[in-house]
């Protein structure tokens, strides 16, 4: 009779140990899976940061006056207006940077000038 309680307790201890080992393996597998997913997410984040950096540089290049002029001339076919199409605006003083280029092909135009109708 003393054998039965020992056998029952031994069986219970073995079952508890096996259950704990199975839970440990399941949690370890989940941890490894989450680690791989985290690594993929970080790689995607780094890739997206690089894409954002490249797109920011590209957007900044589109804002330069030289780029705007090049797109206007090549893609849109725009040209400076001929002198007979330029209508001076009374009371308008060109900004100091435009005085030296006011007679040339580049530079800012007054509002409404340079439009093709």
């Amino acid at each position: 009779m003393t054998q039965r309680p020992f056998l029952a307790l031994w069986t219970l201890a073995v079952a508890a140990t096996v259950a704990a080992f199975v839970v440990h393996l399941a949690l370890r597998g989940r941890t490894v899976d989450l680690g791989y997913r985290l690594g993929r997410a970080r790689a995607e984040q780094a890739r997206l940061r690089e894409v954002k950096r490249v797109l920011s540089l590209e957007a900044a290049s589109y804002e330069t006056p030289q780029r705007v002029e090049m797109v206007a001339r090549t893609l849109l076919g725009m040209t400076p207006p001929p002198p007979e199409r330029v209508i001076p605006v009374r009371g308008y003083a060109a900004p100091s940077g435009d005085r030296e280029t006011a007679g040339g092909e580049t530079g800012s135009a007054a509002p409404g000038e340079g439009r093709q109708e």
Side-chain angles (χ1 to χ4, degrees):
M1 283 287 190
T2 61
Q3 212 55 344
R4 279 200 167 179
F6 174 76
L7 187 60
L9 288 176
W10 178 255
T11 305
L12 184 63
V14 169
T17 303
V18 168
F21 185 68
V22 168
V23 168
H24 169 74
L25 287 179
L27 290 175
R28 180 69 179 157
R30 179 80 171 139
T31 302
V32 169
D33 180 54
L34 288 175
Y36 281 122
R37 290 172 68 186
L38 179 62
R40 285 191 299 268
R42 284 187 176 159
E44 177 71 5
Q45 181 184 34
R47 186 187 70 78
L48 290 174
R49 280 186 178 152
E50 179 63 19
V51 168
K52 180 183 177 187
R53 186 186 70 79
V54 167
L55 290 176
S56 295
L57 288 173
E58 188 176 341
S61 74
Y62 287 141
E63 294 173 357
T64 63
Q66 295 84 7
R67 175 71 179 179
V68 172
E69 182 177 354
M70 194 264 306
V71 168
R73 289 182 188 273
T74 58
L75 296 177
L76 302 176
M78 300 174 93
T79 59
E84 62 270 6
R85 297 248 341 190
V86 176
I87 302 171
V89 179
R90 289 192 185 128
Y92 175 75
S96 61
D98 288 346
R99 289 190 181 140
E100 61 192 23
T101 61
E105 292 185 1
T106 60
S108 299
E113 286 184 4
R115 288 191 199 158
Q116 293 181 351
E117 295 180 29

